[in-house]
Amino acid sequence: MDLDTSVVIVGAGPAGLTLANLLRRSGLNCVVLEKQSRSYVERRQRAGILDHHSASIFEEWGLADQVLAGAPSDTVIEIRVDGVPRYFDVPGLAGGKHSRLLPQQFVVQRLLDAYVDGGGDLRTDASDVTLHGIDGDRPVVTYRDAAGAERRVSCEYVAGCDGHHGVTRQSMPKDAFTTYSYDHGIGWITVLADAPAPRYPLFAVSQHGFAAQFPRGPRASRYYLQRPPSDAVTDWPDHRVWKQLRARLGDPDLPAGPITEKALVEMRSFVVDPMSYGRLHLVGDAAHIITPMGGKGMNLALADADALAKALVAALKDGDGAALRSYSATCLRRTWDYQEFSRWMQEMMHDAGDDTVTGPFRRELARARLDRLFTSPAAATLFATMMAGTN
Ligand code: RFL
């Protein structure tokens, strides 16, 4: 055996790195195995919103200075219907609680620095990660290091933080869990461009289809455009992207900029229940994915990591396994709550626009829902608290 440790964490994304930092802060040993290089992981651009609950995790664990520094607060969102702006004051309606604009790669870079600078054990370029004996008392995880040599690590628990396409979930017997998978029947294309950020995160509804524009730092924007599910990236040359954005945002003067990334987004939801099997606990995207509408994917991953860290501390330091036994149920409650929020927002924003997809009746229902956000304080407060992630 090359190493004995308390917890092997597979994957150095937001989930794995948060868990690793929290365990280190509690004085527990762990090893992080990541199949990519450190520079690859640090550059991967995805989410951009850290909600209130996620920020409170870093505050509670004394990591706020390292992780949250300089992240501006998300204040107001703009919902533009047929080119007419309406402003929705999220913190004002959510009791002063708010999200922060913090791109995922900054979260990852900062968590990596905090972990490695604090002496944490990170093994990148680890291939062929395989779990053995997760239904016994002392699992073993094998992998190949960067030089191709096989390594063996024994541990008390394995945290599967290796994302939707990772290997840890596949180590659970097929009959040990139920999978819920849902295709939302719409497509998105996402575009990252060096173009001026919008004043506020912007959601646009019109007959041309849904579009959104979010800041990614002061000089970059991430855009999302609804597309027919059968479209490929090649169906969206740059001139079509800008033409459609101008039509959908109702802004003929929208400034363009060099496009640095263009990708299709799968509008799919996926949940595994339970998230635990034997000594393996799944965390974040390894257990559930959610569409980007509402910006909750990374935040659910961080909430799982926090719950698992607390449960592992109770089990390993105090010999109390109760929180570990209820880990899956705790996380799934939150996951389904936000799956519902994301679906609510998605139906409202899409049905209210291009009525060739779901028809004019659904369009009017969705417009009534949208309107209610600005006329009913009860509806507005519920939406704002979910958006800010106050629970
Ligand atoms: P990750 O980030 O996928 O990290 C998993 C890590 O595991 C590694 N790995 C392995 N390591 C060892 N052995 C193996 N066999 C391995 N297989 C994989 C991977 O290399 C990687 O480093 O999962 P994690 O940590 O659970 O974090 C989840 C979040 O990344 C994800 O939910 C969000 O990015 C989702 N998401 C968004 N979330 C938000 O909260 N707000 C947003 O605005 C938002 N926008 C988005 C998004 C995801 C997107 N894409 C492309 C999926 C926008 C996009 C475009």
Side-chain angles (χ1 to χ4, degrees):
M1 201 61 63
D2 296 297
L3 184 75
D4 288 312
T5 191
S6 298
V7 183
V8 171
I9 298 172
V10 184
L17 291 170
T18 300
L19 179 62
N21 273 290
L22 305 192
L23 294 180
R24 290 273 309 165
R25 296 214 144 217
S26 311
L28 291 175
N29 290 324
C30 61
V31 175
V32 180
L33 302 179
E34 165 60 48
K35 78 169 176 189
Q36 303 287 356
S37 66
R38 179 168 175 171
S39 63
Y40 179 93
V41 168
E42 284 183 326
R43 282 201 310 271
R44 202 165 33 201
Q45 302 205 13
R46 286 178 167 182
I49 300 281
L50 199 75
D51 73 10
H52 171 80
H53 184 261
S54 295
S56 68
I57 293 171
F58 295 121
E59 280 160 359
E60 182 187 343
W61 288 86
L63 279 159
D65 288 349
Q66 279 121 305
V67 180
L68 306 178
S73 300
D74 183 6
T75 50
V76 166
I77 59 170
E78 180 181 341
I79 302 179
R80 201 178 285 177
V81 181
D82 297 333
V84 179
R86 283 174 124 172
Y87 298 99
F88 188 86
D89 178 4
V90 179
L93 289 156
K97 293 175 176 160
H98 58 84
S99 302
R100 286 172 170 80
L101 302 174
L102 190 59
Q104 181 166 331
Q105 72 271 24
F106 291 173
V107 176
V108 165
Q109 284 163 18
R110 292 170 178 193
L111 287 169
L112 269 169
D113 287 344
Y115 180 63
V116 173
D117 294 351
D121 189 338
L122 168 71
R123 300 176 184 208
T124 53
D125 304 285
S127 55
D128 295 342
V129 169
T130 310
L131 314 188
H132 311 267
I134 49 172
D135 43 6
D137 285 344
R138 189 107 200 141
V140 170
V141 181
T142 56
Y143 69 98
R144 279 187 198 287
D145 66 17
E150 191 181 89
R151 303 280 175 197
R152 298 170 67 80
V153 186
S154 81
C155 57
E156 299 203 52
Y157 294 99
V158 180
C161 306
D162 49 348
H164 186 56
H165 301 288
V167 291
T168 57
R169 189 177 66 248
Q170 288 156 27
S171 309
M172 291 165 53
K174 291 275 173 290
D175 57 0
F177 60 92
T178 304
T179 297
Y180 300 87
S181 187
Y182 188 73
D183 180 344
H184 293 262
I186 46 170
W188 273 11
I189 182 163
T190 179
V191 171
L192 198 60
D194 294 329
R199 185 162 168 227
Y200 301 120
L202 164 61
F203 299 84
V205 172
S206 80
Q207 57 165 357
H208 305 287
F210 170 79
Q213 182 186 4
F214 302 128
R216 288 294 185 265
R219 282 174 302 279
S221 291
R222 183 177 281 286
Y223 305 88
Y224 292 102
L225 294 110
Q226 181 182 358
R227 61 167 172 91
S230 56
D231 271 12
V233 172
T234 47
D235 294 319
W236 285 83
D238 293 6
H239 65 85
R240 183 179 178 200
V241 167
W242 294 114
K243 191 173 168 207
Q244 280 295 318
L245 281 172
R246 287 178 182 130
R248 296 179 191 198
L249 302 183
D251 181 359
D253 301 322
L254 180 78
I259 291 180
T260 52
E261 184 195 303
K262 207 187 276 176
L264 301 183
V265 179
E266 274 190 71
M267 297 300 276
R268 219 156 62 78
S269 296
F270 177 90
V271 180
V272 158
D273 180 359
M275 292 165 56
S276 304
Y277 175 77
R279 297 247 162 183
L280 168 65
H281 300 280
L282 303 178
V283 188
D285 277 18
H288 41 74
I289 55 170
I290 184 166
T291 74
M293 185 62 101
K296 292 298 174 184
M298 177 171 71
N299 294 296
L300 287 174
L302 299 182
D304 289 357
D306 175 54
L308 185 57
K310 287 173 179 156
L312 286 169
V313 170
L316 287 164
K317 290 187 112 172
D318 310 327
D320 178 359
L324 214 43
R325 285 191 292 279
S326 57
Y327 164 73
S328 174
T330 302
C331 295
L332 287 173
R333 238 185 333 268
R334 179 179 202 83
T335 298
W336 281 115
D337 197 20
Y338 281 102
Q339 291 280 6
E340 195 286 329
F341 169 65
S342 180
R343 173 74 190 174
W344 162 21
M345 197 172 168
Q346 198 193 104
E347 275 184 341
M348 187 170 68
M349 296 289 181
H350 289 87
D351 290 4
D354 176 5
D355 65 9
T356 60
V357 183
T358 47
F361 183 77
R362 293 269 293 264
R363 180 194 63 215
E364 294 307 311
L365 291 184
R367 287 192 171 219
R369 260 188 181 184
L370 257 175
D371 214 38
R372 195 183 291 137
L373 294 183
F374 297 92
T375 55
S376 157
T381 301
L382 176 58
F383 188 79
T385 53
M386 298 296 291
M387 194 89 197
T390 59
N391 56 337

mmCIF file of all heavy atoms in Angstrom, residues 158 160 169 172 176-178 271-288 300-301 303-305 307-308 327-333 335:
data_model
loop_
_atom_site.group_PDB
_atom_site.id
_atom_site.type_symbol
_atom_site.label_atom_id
_atom_site.label_comp_id
_atom_site.label_asym_id
_atom_site.label_seq_id
_atom_site.Cartn_x
_atom_site.Cartn_y
_atom_site.Cartn_z
ATOM 1 N N VAL A 158 -14.667 7.025 0.717
ATOM 2 C CA VAL A 158 -14.367 7.588 -0.606
ATOM 3 C C VAL A 158 -15.442 8.627 -0.922
ATOM 4 O O VAL A 158 -16.646 8.361 -0.755
ATOM 5 C CB VAL A 158 -14.384 6.499 -1.711
ATOM 6 C CG1 VAL A 158 -14.076 7.120 -3.076
ATOM 7 C CG2 VAL A 158 -13.401 5.381 -1.389
ATOM 8 N N GLY A 160 -16.986 10.608 -3.981
ATOM 9 C CA GLY A 160 -17.046 10.632 -5.452
ATOM 10 C C GLY A 160 -17.413 12.036 -5.917
ATOM 11 O O GLY A 160 -18.581 12.403 -5.970
ATOM 12 N N ARG A 169 -19.592 6.825 -9.556
ATOM 13 C CA ARG A 169 -20.993 6.376 -9.555
ATOM 14 C C ARG A 169 -21.107 4.989 -10.183
ATOM 15 O O ARG A 169 -21.933 4.162 -9.773
ATOM 16 C CB ARG A 169 -21.862 7.396 -10.303
ATOM 17 C CG ARG A 169 -23.345 7.137 -10.171
ATOM 18 C CD ARG A 169 -24.194 8.202 -10.851
ATOM 19 N NE ARG A 169 -24.034 8.223 -12.280
ATOM 20 C CZ ARG A 169 -23.458 9.215 -12.973
ATOM 21 N NH1 ARG A 169 -22.988 10.281 -12.344
ATOM 22 N NH2 ARG A 169 -23.350 9.150 -14.282
ATOM 23 N N MET A 172 -21.025 1.791 -8.065
ATOM 24 C CA MET A 172 -22.160 1.346 -7.254
ATOM 25 C C MET A 172 -22.924 0.282 -8.045
ATOM 26 O O MET A 172 -23.132 0.442 -9.251
ATOM 27 C CB MET A 172 -23.097 2.537 -6.955
ATOM 28 C CG MET A 172 -22.463 3.547 -6.021
ATOM 29 S SD MET A 172 -23.282 5.183 -5.917
ATOM 30 C CE MET A 172 -24.953 4.823 -5.547
ATOM 31 N N ALA A 176 -28.541 -0.765 -6.734
ATOM 32 C CA ALA A 176 -28.433 -0.109 -5.423
ATOM 33 C C ALA A 176 -28.967 1.318 -5.444
ATOM 34 O O ALA A 176 -28.968 1.995 -4.426
ATOM 35 C CB ALA A 176 -26.974 -0.105 -4.961
ATOM 36 N N PHE A 177 -29.376 1.790 -6.618
ATOM 37 C CA PHE A 177 -29.881 3.171 -6.668
ATOM 38 C C PHE A 177 -30.898 3.325 -7.800
ATOM 39 O O PHE A 177 -30.961 2.517 -8.725
ATOM 40 C CB PHE A 177 -28.729 4.179 -6.851
ATOM 41 C CG PHE A 177 -27.918 3.978 -8.110
ATOM 42 C CD1 PHE A 177 -28.252 4.649 -9.283
ATOM 43 C CD2 PHE A 177 -26.816 3.133 -8.120
ATOM 44 C CE1 PHE A 177 -27.499 4.484 -10.438
ATOM 45 C CE2 PHE A 177 -26.058 2.958 -9.272
ATOM 46 C CZ PHE A 177 -26.401 3.636 -10.435
ATOM 47 N N THR A 178 -31.692 4.386 -7.682
ATOM 48 C CA THR A 178 -32.657 4.754 -8.726
ATOM 49 C C THR A 178 -32.136 6.004 -9.423
ATOM 50 O O THR A 178 -31.613 6.910 -8.770
ATOM 51 C CB THR A 178 -34.028 5.063 -8.075
ATOM 52 O OG1 THR A 178 -34.427 3.931 -7.327
ATOM 53 C CG2 THR A 178 -35.084 5.391 -9.126
ATOM 54 N N VAL A 271 -30.735 12.793 -11.439
ATOM 55 C CA VAL A 271 -30.572 12.656 -9.979
ATOM 56 C C VAL A 271 -30.434 11.175 -9.648
ATOM 57 O O VAL A 271 -31.177 10.339 -10.184
ATOM 58 C CB VAL A 271 -31.792 13.227 -9.208
ATOM 59 C CG1 VAL A 271 -31.601 13.072 -7.697
ATOM 60 C CG2 VAL A 271 -32.043 14.686 -9.544
ATOM 61 N N VAL A 272 -29.491 10.871 -8.781
ATOM 62 C CA VAL A 272 -29.300 9.501 -8.308
ATOM 63 C C VAL A 272 -29.747 9.426 -6.845
ATOM 64 O O VAL A 272 -29.402 10.290 -6.046
ATOM 65 C CB VAL A 272 -27.801 9.125 -8.428
ATOM 66 C CG1 VAL A 272 -27.442 7.984 -7.511
ATOM 67 C CG2 VAL A 272 -27.461 8.760 -9.851
ATOM 68 N N ASP A 273 -30.527 8.412 -6.508
ATOM 69 C CA ASP A 273 -31.029 8.249 -5.143
ATOM 70 C C ASP A 273 -30.903 6.783 -4.739
ATOM 71 O O ASP A 273 -31.485 5.931 -5.408
ATOM 72 C CB ASP A 273 -32.506 8.692 -5.106
ATOM 73 C CG ASP A 273 -33.134 8.574 -3.730
ATOM 74 O OD1 ASP A 273 -32.457 8.140 -2.776
ATOM 75 O OD2 ASP A 273 -34.326 8.915 -3.622
ATOM 76 N N PRO A 274 -30.140 6.455 -3.684
ATOM 77 C CA PRO A 274 -29.423 7.346 -2.781
ATOM 78 C C PRO A 274 -28.069 7.755 -3.356
ATOM 79 O O PRO A 274 -27.578 7.153 -4.315
ATOM 80 C CB PRO A 274 -29.233 6.486 -1.536
ATOM 81 C CG PRO A 274 -29.147 5.095 -2.056
ATOM 82 C CD PRO A 274 -30.072 5.055 -3.250
ATOM 83 N N MET A 275 -27.463 8.746 -2.717
ATOM 84 C CA MET A 275 -26.162 9.248 -3.161
ATOM 85 C C MET A 275 -25.020 8.501 -2.483
ATOM 86 O O MET A 275 -23.847 8.866 -2.665
ATOM 87 C CB MET A 275 -26.053 10.748 -2.850
ATOM 88 C CG MET A 275 -27.001 11.601 -3.692
ATOM 89 S SD MET A 275 -27.219 13.305 -3.084
ATOM 90 C CE MET A 275 -25.555 13.924 -3.025
ATOM 91 N N SER A 276 -25.366 7.488 -1.685
ATOM 92 C CA SER A 276 -24.328 6.756 -0.940
ATOM 93 C C SER A 276 -24.478 5.265 -1.177
ATOM 94 O O SER A 276 -25.601 4.757 -1.342
ATOM 95 C CB SER A 276 -24.479 7.016 0.564
ATOM 96 O OG SER A 276 -24.449 8.388 0.847
ATOM 97 N N TYR A 277 -23.350 4.593 -1.166
ATOM 98 C CA TYR A 277 -23.361 3.127 -1.171
ATOM 99 C C TYR A 277 -22.142 2.665 -0.371
ATOM 100 O O TYR A 277 -21.000 2.990 -0.733
ATOM 101 C CB TYR A 277 -23.298 2.563 -2.597
ATOM 102 C CG TYR A 277 -23.182 1.058 -2.605
ATOM 103 C CD1 TYR A 277 -24.303 0.265 -2.348
ATOM 104 C CD2 TYR A 277 -21.952 0.439 -2.812
ATOM 105 C CE1 TYR A 277 -24.199 -1.114 -2.314
ATOM 106 C CE2 TYR A 277 -21.845 -0.947 -2.779
ATOM 107 C CZ TYR A 277 -22.974 -1.718 -2.525
ATOM 108 O OH TYR A 277 -22.865 -3.089 -2.472
ATOM 109 N N GLY A 278 -22.395 1.908 0.709
ATOM 110 C CA GLY A 278 -21.277 1.457 1.543
ATOM 111 C C GLY A 278 -20.452 2.644 2.015
ATOM 112 O O GLY A 278 -20.978 3.584 2.601
ATOM 113 N N ARG A 279 -19.169 2.609 1.700
ATOM 114 C CA ARG A 279 -18.263 3.684 2.156
ATOM 115 C C ARG A 279 -18.069 4.779 1.103
ATOM 116 O O ARG A 279 -17.217 5.643 1.259
ATOM 117 C CB ARG A 279 -16.909 3.067 2.510
ATOM 118 C CG ARG A 279 -17.017 2.082 3.667
ATOM 119 C CD ARG A 279 -16.305 2.623 4.859
ATOM 120 N NE ARG A 279 -16.711 1.951 6.070
ATOM 121 C CZ ARG A 279 -16.262 2.289 7.263
ATOM 122 N NH1 ARG A 279 -15.401 3.274 7.400
ATOM 123 N NH2 ARG A 279 -16.668 1.667 8.345
ATOM 124 N N LEU A 280 -18.845 4.684 0.015
ATOM 125 C CA LEU A 280 -18.756 5.705 -1.040
ATOM 126 C C LEU A 280 -19.914 6.693 -0.920
ATOM 127 O O LEU A 280 -21.074 6.294 -0.799
ATOM 128 C CB LEU A 280 -18.831 5.019 -2.418
ATOM 129 C CG LEU A 280 -19.045 5.930 -3.631
ATOM 130 C CD1 LEU A 280 -17.839 6.864 -3.849
ATOM 131 C CD2 LEU A 280 -19.307 5.098 -4.894
ATOM 132 N N HIS A 281 -19.581 7.972 -0.962
ATOM 133 C CA HIS A 281 -20.601 9.026 -0.959
ATOM 134 C C HIS A 281 -20.374 9.908 -2.178
ATOM 135 O O HIS A 281 -19.266 10.423 -2.373
ATOM 136 C CB HIS A 281 -20.524 9.852 0.325
ATOM 137 C CG HIS A 281 -20.744 9.015 1.546
ATOM 138 N ND1 HIS A 281 -22.003 8.645 1.980
ATOM 139 C CD2 HIS A 281 -19.872 8.435 2.396
ATOM 140 C CE1 HIS A 281 -21.893 7.896 3.051
ATOM 141 N NE2 HIS A 281 -20.600 7.739 3.334
ATOM 142 N N LEU A 282 -21.416 10.072 -2.983
ATOM 143 C CA LEU A 282 -21.308 10.934 -4.171
ATOM 144 C C LEU A 282 -21.586 12.387 -3.781
ATOM 145 O O LEU A 282 -22.417 12.654 -2.906
ATOM 146 C CB LEU A 282 -22.310 10.492 -5.245
ATOM 147 C CG LEU A 282 -22.197 9.049 -5.721
ATOM 148 C CD1 LEU A 282 -23.283 8.745 -6.762
ATOM 149 C CD2 LEU A 282 -20.806 8.772 -6.317
ATOM 150 N N VAL A 283 -20.905 13.286 -4.475
ATOM 151 C CA VAL A 283 -20.992 14.717 -4.151
ATOM 152 C C VAL A 283 -21.119 15.501 -5.466
ATOM 153 O O VAL A 283 -20.385 15.239 -6.415
ATOM 154 C CB VAL A 283 -19.710 15.178 -3.411
ATOM 155 C CG1 VAL A 283 -19.859 16.610 -2.895
ATOM 156 C CG2 VAL A 283 -19.343 14.235 -2.265
ATOM 157 N N GLY A 284 -22.014 16.482 -5.523
ATOM 158 C CA GLY A 284 -22.099 17.378 -6.682
ATOM 159 C C GLY A 284 -22.580 16.679 -7.939
ATOM 160 O O GLY A 284 -23.453 15.800 -7.905
ATOM 161 N N ASP A 285 -21.989 17.077 -9.079
ATOM 162 C CA ASP A 285 -22.453 16.574 -10.379
ATOM 163 C C ASP A 285 -22.358 15.049 -10.518
ATOM 164 O O ASP A 285 -23.007 14.473 -11.391
ATOM 165 C CB ASP A 285 -21.642 17.214 -11.525
ATOM 166 C CG ASP A 285 -22.172 18.592 -11.918
ATOM 167 O OD1 ASP A 285 -22.918 19.192 -11.123
ATOM 168 O OD2 ASP A 285 -21.822 19.070 -13.024
ATOM 169 N N ALA A 286 -21.555 14.402 -9.708
ATOM 170 C CA ALA A 286 -21.487 12.930 -9.759
ATOM 171 C C ALA A 286 -22.841 12.334 -9.378
ATOM 172 O O ALA A 286 -23.208 11.249 -9.831
ATOM 173 C CB ALA A 286 -20.394 12.417 -8.814
ATOM 174 N N ALA A 287 -23.604 13.069 -8.553
ATOM 175 C CA ALA A 287 -24.897 12.559 -8.078
ATOM 176 C C ALA A 287 -26.077 13.207 -8.773
ATOM 177 O O ALA A 287 -27.152 12.619 -8.856
ATOM 178 C CB ALA A 287 -25.020 12.788 -6.569
ATOM 179 N N HIS A 288 -25.895 14.459 -9.234
ATOM 180 C CA HIS A 288 -27.043 15.148 -9.830
ATOM 181 C C HIS A 288 -26.569 16.258 -10.751
ATOM 182 O O HIS A 288 -25.619 16.959 -10.445
ATOM 183 C CB HIS A 288 -27.954 15.740 -8.746
ATOM 184 C CG HIS A 288 -27.210 16.380 -7.601
ATOM 185 N ND1 HIS A 288 -26.582 17.594 -7.721
ATOM 186 C CD2 HIS A 288 -26.962 15.961 -6.337
ATOM 187 C CE1 HIS A 288 -26.007 17.902 -6.581
ATOM 188 N NE2 HIS A 288 -26.194 16.923 -5.716
ATOM 189 N N LEU A 300 -25.203 23.588 -5.632
ATOM 190 C CA LEU A 300 -25.626 22.303 -5.055
ATOM 191 C C LEU A 300 -24.397 21.453 -4.723
ATOM 192 O O LEU A 300 -24.362 20.752 -3.703
ATOM 193 C CB LEU A 300 -26.539 21.555 -6.031
ATOM 194 C CG LEU A 300 -27.956 22.127 -6.192
ATOM 195 C CD1 LEU A 300 -28.709 21.381 -7.291
ATOM 196 C CD2 LEU A 300 -28.744 22.054 -4.883
ATOM 197 N N ALA A 301 -23.382 21.531 -5.582
ATOM 198 C CA ALA A 301 -22.145 20.764 -5.321
ATOM 199 C C ALA A 301 -21.487 21.227 -4.020
ATOM 200 O O ALA A 301 -21.022 20.409 -3.211
ATOM 201 C CB ALA A 301 -21.185 20.926 -6.505
ATOM 202 N N ALA A 303 -22.999 22.713 -1.473
ATOM 203 C CA ALA A 303 -23.852 22.343 -0.340
ATOM 204 C C ALA A 303 -23.631 20.880 0.039
ATOM 205 O O ALA A 303 -23.562 20.531 1.226
ATOM 206 C CB ALA A 303 -25.318 22.600 -0.681
ATOM 207 N N ASP A 304 -23.506 20.005 -0.967
ATOM 208 C CA ASP A 304 -23.203 18.586 -0.691
ATOM 209 C C ASP A 304 -21.870 18.467 0.047
ATOM 210 O O ASP A 304 -21.745 17.708 1.024
ATOM 211 C CB ASP A 304 -23.053 17.784 -1.997
ATOM 212 C CG ASP A 304 -24.350 17.568 -2.749
ATOM 213 O OD1 ASP A 304 -25.406 17.986 -2.266
ATOM 214 O OD2 ASP A 304 -24.282 16.969 -3.844
ATOM 215 N N ALA A 305 -20.852 19.190 -0.443
ATOM 216 C CA ALA A 305 -19.514 19.078 0.147
ATOM 217 C C ALA A 305 -19.541 19.486 1.613
ATOM 218 O O ALA A 305 -18.920 18.845 2.474
ATOM 219 C CB ALA A 305 -18.517 19.942 -0.629
ATOM 220 N N ALA A 307 -22.183 19.379 3.640
ATOM 221 C CA ALA A 307 -22.916 18.364 4.410
ATOM 222 C C ALA A 307 -22.042 17.137 4.644
ATOM 223 O O ALA A 307 -22.017 16.562 5.744
ATOM 224 C CB ALA A 307 -24.197 17.972 3.670
ATOM 225 N N LEU A 308 -21.285 16.726 3.604
ATOM 226 C CA LEU A 308 -20.452 15.529 3.765
ATOM 227 C C LEU A 308 -19.285 15.796 4.712
ATOM 228 O O LEU A 308 -18.930 14.932 5.534
ATOM 229 C CB LEU A 308 -19.936 15.033 2.402
ATOM 230 C CG LEU A 308 -19.168 13.718 2.460
ATOM 231 C CD1 LEU A 308 -20.007 12.590 3.072
ATOM 232 C CD2 LEU A 308 -18.687 13.283 1.073
ATOM 233 N N TYR A 327 -26.904 11.593 5.098
ATOM 234 C CA TYR A 327 -26.273 12.511 4.123
ATOM 235 C C TYR A 327 -27.075 12.573 2.819
ATOM 236 O O TYR A 327 -27.405 13.650 2.318
ATOM 237 C CB TYR A 327 -24.829 12.053 3.852
ATOM 238 C CG TYR A 327 -24.225 12.680 2.608
ATOM 239 C CD1 TYR A 327 -23.846 14.014 2.583
ATOM 240 C CD2 TYR A 327 -24.058 11.929 1.439
ATOM 241 C CE1 TYR A 327 -23.318 14.593 1.430
ATOM 242 C CE2 TYR A 327 -23.521 12.497 0.283
ATOM 243 C CZ TYR A 327 -23.157 13.828 0.289
ATOM 244 O OH TYR A 327 -22.653 14.400 -0.844
ATOM 245 N N SER A 328 -27.404 11.412 2.269
ATOM 246 C CA SER A 328 -28.085 11.382 0.979
ATOM 247 C C SER A 328 -29.452 12.068 1.058
ATOM 248 O O SER A 328 -29.780 12.918 0.221
ATOM 249 C CB SER A 328 -28.248 9.928 0.522
ATOM 250 O OG SER A 328 -29.015 9.872 -0.636
ATOM 251 N N ALA A 329 -30.230 11.739 2.081
ATOM 252 C CA ALA A 329 -31.573 12.336 2.202
ATOM 253 C C ALA A 329 -31.469 13.847 2.376
ATOM 254 O O ALA A 329 -32.255 14.611 1.787
ATOM 255 C CB ALA A 329 -32.318 11.705 3.378
ATOM 256 N N THR A 330 -30.490 14.296 3.164
ATOM 257 C CA THR A 330 -30.306 15.743 3.389
ATOM 258 C C THR A 330 -30.042 16.446 2.058
ATOM 259 O O THR A 330 -30.657 17.467 1.745
ATOM 260 C CB THR A 330 -29.090 15.970 4.332
ATOM 261 O OG1 THR A 330 -29.339 15.278 5.548
ATOM 262 C CG2 THR A 330 -28.839 17.440 4.600
ATOM 263 N N CYS A 331 -29.118 15.889 1.276
ATOM 264 C CA CYS A 331 -28.733 16.551 0.018
ATOM 265 C C CYS A 331 -29.833 16.448 -1.033
ATOM 266 O O CYS A 331 -30.032 17.371 -1.823
ATOM 267 C CB CYS A 331 -27.437 15.951 -0.519
ATOM 268 S SG CYS A 331 -26.053 16.261 0.581
ATOM 269 N N LEU A 332 -30.534 15.323 -1.060
ATOM 270 C CA LEU A 332 -31.568 15.156 -2.093
ATOM 271 C C LEU A 332 -32.747 16.101 -1.879
ATOM 272 O O LEU A 332 -33.358 16.571 -2.840
ATOM 273 C CB LEU A 332 -32.032 13.700 -2.153
ATOM 274 C CG LEU A 332 -31.010 12.754 -2.793
ATOM 275 C CD1 LEU A 332 -31.462 11.301 -2.677
ATOM 276 C CD2 LEU A 332 -30.776 13.106 -4.266
ATOM 277 N N ARG A 333 -33.049 16.396 -0.603
ATOM 278 C CA ARG A 333 -34.131 17.369 -0.337
ATOM 279 C C ARG A 333 -33.805 18.696 -1.015
ATOM 280 O O ARG A 333 -34.613 19.281 -1.711
ATOM 281 C CB ARG A 333 -34.271 17.573 1.170
ATOM 282 C CG ARG A 333 -35.659 17.250 1.692
ATOM 283 C CD ARG A 333 -35.889 17.552 3.143
ATOM 284 N NE ARG A 333 -34.739 17.518 4.018
ATOM 285 C CZ ARG A 333 -34.327 16.461 4.704
ATOM 286 N NH1 ARG A 333 -34.974 15.326 4.612
ATOM 287 N NH2 ARG A 333 -33.267 16.530 5.480
ATOM 288 N N THR A 335 -31.583 19.209 -3.414
ATOM 289 C CA THR A 335 -31.455 19.023 -4.862
ATOM 290 C C THR A 335 -32.810 19.106 -5.560
ATOM 291 O O THR A 335 -32.969 19.815 -6.555
ATOM 292 C CB THR A 335 -30.800 17.657 -5.149
ATOM 293 O OG1 THR A 335 -29.506 17.663 -4.567
ATOM 294 C CG2 THR A 335 -30.689 17.376 -6.640
#
